[in-house]
Amino acid sequence: KEEGLGLDPSRLYVTTFAGDENAPEDIESPKIWQKLGVPRSRIYPFGAEDNLWSPGDNGPCGPDSEMFYDVTSEGLGDLSKEEFLNAVKQEDLVEIWNDVFMEYEKKDGRVVGKLTNRNVDTGAGLERMTAVVQKKKTAYETDLFIPIMLKIDEFSAVDDPRARRIVADHIRTAVFMIGDGVLPANTDRGYVLRRLLRRAVRYADTLQMKHGSLLHLAGTVIDTYQNAYQNLKEQRAHIEKEVEKEESKFRETLERGLKEFEKVEVNSVVAFDLFQTYGFPYELTEELAKEKGIVIDKADFDRRMKEHQALSRSSSEQKFKGGLADHSEETVRLHTAHHLLLGALQEVMGASVKQRGSNITSERLRIDFSFERKMTDDEKKQTEDLVNKWIAEAIPVVRRDMPKAEAEALGAEHEFGATYGDIVSVYFVERTDGTRVSKEFCGGPHVSSTSELGVFKIQKEEAVASGIRRIKATLK
């Protein structure tokens, strides 16, 4: 019995590499495709821009053969090259798969010879494949997107297919990012999330959706995916709150920024000032300028941005990576106390508290953690007292190496954004009766017993970003 995806081979079209001054034409792929039943009339050669894959100016590269599938109801039949390109543009043909034949080496942008070891790199687009299997033209018409698109239609007053897709795609991605612990911010992952949500707001306005609609779309995304992604279900309230809060915050920014945008002739200086003064995203300024036929000098904006970042880098030179400043006795003690502090914060304020960064020197520990509000004096005292209680208990600190899946099943905490191998080190602050006050993925070093730590004292608790608090603490 043959197995497969149930697709019709007669609807398949492929492209191959035509060759250029750098590398010869790929003559093998067309022959193989024809042996597999694809007519020569449906095999189209293209240049390096389309069909020579390369990671950059240096490294391995090779000819690429891409597969397209006819998603029209009647079928397109044989097409000329021009008709093929038009069908792709009209989304009547959808790229579903490609093969890259890694056989050349590139240096300084030119192919210099063949690789000693050659291989085939192949990949398919899951959602595009889902679309063609379900006999749809795009992923936005498949069962995973339909509930979201219907919810958008419920709140919108304008029929704009592109805007609908942008809102659906961005809100879905944002929900998953927040579910994975990312929060809106002006740097790193948080900035990516903020851009997605703010662009979703802009196109929600294009659709004339009611303000606050993104909250309901986020709920629909969670409903659609929660059976496969349990964390979305568990964090529903948190995710919806973050989406609602960011939309509300951006609408204030949008109103102020748009007023300024309309007052001046936009250029890179204005774009930077809008970003600096109003938090107005460059990408949005660029889009609005484009609608007016204005091209902004992105290089100049980037230069100004780098200069600004250089001036404000003093606090970020020791950017949180979970590492220690050194392995001195004082730093090791504070590192162990950091584990106790995270456990205490979760016990006092709930398991939803997660570490979002740490920095430990010989003088103090610093932890960033997810929490929506300022801690009360009573909560800080409870946390401090609990850490000192555990120190007084002289609880052993034990390291165990185990499979990553086992550590995750135990609920061991891990560093935000870190990647781990199949075998991980987990440190347990564990009483002799087996009860634990802390369990974390960590490479060490640590003390052997909490009795070695001394007196724990919280020095400061403050906000560092939306939904992120910071504690600085010492040992005496």
Side-chain angles (χ1 to χ4, degrees):
K1 180 183 177 181
E2 292 186 1
E3 295 183 0
L5 298 172
L7 301 183
D8 182 356
S10 70
R11 287 177 171 264
L12 190 65
Y13 298 74
V14 298
T15 62
T16 59
F17 179 49
D20 60 13
E21 69 279 3
N22 264 316
E25 179 183 2
D26 176 7
I27 59 175
E28 294 179 77
S29 294
K31 291 179 180 178
I32 295 171
W33 280 120
Q34 288 178 79
K35 285 182 180 179
L36 293 172
V38 179
R40 187 68 183 86
S41 57
R42 298 191 185 185
I43 302 173
Y44 307 91
F46 284 95
E49 184 176 342
D50 296 298
N51 285 85
L52 184 72
W53 188 90
S54 172
D57 287 340
N58 297 283
C61 65
D64 172 29
S65 185
E66 300 176 349
M67 287 142 268
F68 296 78
Y69 194 78
D70 179 355
V71 295
T72 63
S73 57
E74 299 299 325
L76 296 170
D78 288 347
L79 301 173
S80 67
K81 195 170 184 178
E82 184 179 348
E83 289 170 334
F84 167 82
L85 290 171
N86 188 58
V88 172
K89 184 178 181 181
Q90 297 298 322
E91 297 181 335
D92 289 334
L93 288 177
V94 177
E95 182 187 346
I96 58 172
W97 210 302
N98 66 58
D99 290 324
V100 180
F101 304 102
M102 294 288 199
E103 63 174 314
Y104 300 116
E105 182 177 5
K106 184 186 282 189
K107 286 187 178 179
D108 299 325
R110 296 188 62 82
V111 172
V112 295
K114 288 202 172 188
L115 296 168
T116 303
N117 297 310
R118 284 162 274 180
N119 63 78
V120 178
D121 182 6
T122 185
L126 174 61
E127 290 190 335
R128 292 185 181 188
M129 190 65 74
T130 301
V132 297
V133 168
Q134 295 183 4
K135 295 181 170 54
K136 307 296 183 182
K137 291 192 70 172
T138 71
Y140 298 99
E141 300 169 56
T142 61
D143 52 358
L144 287 178
F145 263 111
I146 286 174
I148 307 169
M149 303 302 278
L150 290 175
K151 183 61 70 171
I152 290 173
D153 291 343
E154 181 182 329
F155 287 98
S156 62
V158 173
D159 181 20
D160 185 329
R162 179 172 178 268
R164 290 171 74 244
R165 291 181 182 184
I166 290 172
V167 172
D169 174 81
H170 288 16
I171 196 65
R172 187 182 68 162
T173 304
V175 165
F176 273 90
M177 290 182 73
I178 298 170
D180 283 342
V182 182
L183 292 173
N186 286 330
T187 58
D188 302 326
R189 302 176 186 87
Y191 183 56
V192 175
L193 174 60
R194 175 157 281 168
R195 282 175 57 188
L196 287 168
L197 284 171
R198 291 186 169 189
R199 198 160 186 256
V201 170
R202 168 156 160 71
Y203 281 94
D205 286 350
T206 299
L207 294 168
Q208 295 182 20
M209 296 175 67
K210 298 176 183 176
H211 290 190
S213 298
L214 296 190
L215 165 68
H216 301 288
L217 297 184
T220 301
V221 173
I222 295 169
D223 290 340
T224 304
Y225 287 91
Q226 63 184 0
N227 290 335
Y229 298 91
Q230 187 69 23
N231 64 313
L232 299 185
K233 182 177 181 180
E234 294 170 351
Q235 298 187 62
R236 174 185 287 270
H238 167 64
I239 293 169
E240 292 179 339
K241 182 177 181 181
E242 285 301 321
V243 170
E244 183 178 37
K245 185 165 63 175
E246 187 64 18
E247 176 176 356
S248 176
K249 183 183 296 184
F250 182 51
R251 290 203 177 281
E252 297 176 8
T253 296
L254 196 61
E255 185 177 352
R256 295 196 305 269
L258 285 173
K259 286 180 180 177
E260 291 301 313
F261 183 90
E262 296 300 332
K263 291 179 183 177
V264 296
E265 183 176 343
V266 183
N267 54 35
S268 59
V269 177
V270 172
F272 180 74
D273 288 343
L274 285 171
F275 177 82
Q276 276 293 96
T277 307
Y278 301 99
F280 206 71
Y282 170 80
E283 294 76 17
L284 183 52
T285 302
E286 188 176 48
E287 282 189 25
L288 292 171
K290 188 175 180 180
E291 290 174 5
K292 289 188 170 186
I294 300 171
V295 177
I296 297 175
D297 186 344
K298 179 69 161 54
D300 185 62
F301 175 87
D302 289 341
R303 180 184 61 77
R304 293 174 185 276
M305 197 66 182
K306 285 180 180 178
E307 290 175 355
H308 167 72
Q309 290 169 341
L311 292 173
S312 59
R313 193 168 290 146
S314 57
S315 64
S316 62
E317 288 299 317
Q318 297 180 338
K319 185 176 179 180
F320 291 175
K321 300 229 182 235
L324 312 183
D326 53 54
H327 286 184
S328 67
E329 181 181 340
E330 293 80 5
T331 302
V332 171
R333 289 170 58 237
L334 282 160
H335 184 202
T336 308
H338 181 282
H339 285 232
L340 298 183
L341 174 56
L342 178 59
L345 286 168
Q346 291 174 331
E347 186 156 327
V348 171
M349 298 184 297
S352 63
V353 170
K354 298 294 180 183
Q355 178 182 318
R356 289 294 176 259
S358 65
N359 181 264
I360 303 165
T361 70
S362 61
E363 297 178 348
R364 57 100 183 103
L365 68 83
R366 190 170 70 190
I367 182 173
D368 283 4
F369 58 97
S370 55
F371 198 58
E372 294 300 321
R373 57 172 174 78
K374 180 180 180 180
M375 291 175 66
T376 65
D377 290 340
D378 184 55
E379 286 170 335
K380 284 185 281 188
K381 186 175 188 306
Q382 286 183 55
T383 301
E384 192 176 88
D385 289 348
L386 188 53
V387 172
N388 283 313
K389 173 179 176 292
W390 291 337
I391 292 174
E393 287 185 54
I395 304 172
V397 181
V398 182
R399 170 180 171 168
R400 296 190 182 97
D401 293 336
M402 61 183 66
K404 178 184 174 185
E406 182 182 341
E408 291 174 334
L410 288 172
E413 299 290 328
H414 53 77
E415 182 184 350
F416 177 65
T419 56
Y420 300 92
D422 294 334
I423 302 297
V424 298
S425 296
V426 179
Y427 275 85
F428 297 88
V429 182
E430 181 178 80
R431 300 184 181 93
T432 54
D433 64 2
T435 58
R436 298 161 177 162
V437 302
S438 172
K439 47 185 182 292
E440 289 191 40
F441 288 53
C442 196
H446 302 74
V447 300
S448 59
S449 169
T450 60
S451 62
E452 301 174 41
L453 299 184
V455 179
F456 176 81
K457 180 67 177 177
I458 293 177
Q459 300 293 340
K460 190 174 185 180
E461 189 268 345
E462 60 187 348
V464 292
S466 175
I468 302 292
R469 308 295 298 181
R470 173 176 291 173
I471 281 178
K472 293 180 182 178
T474 59
L475 289 171
K476 294 183 179 179

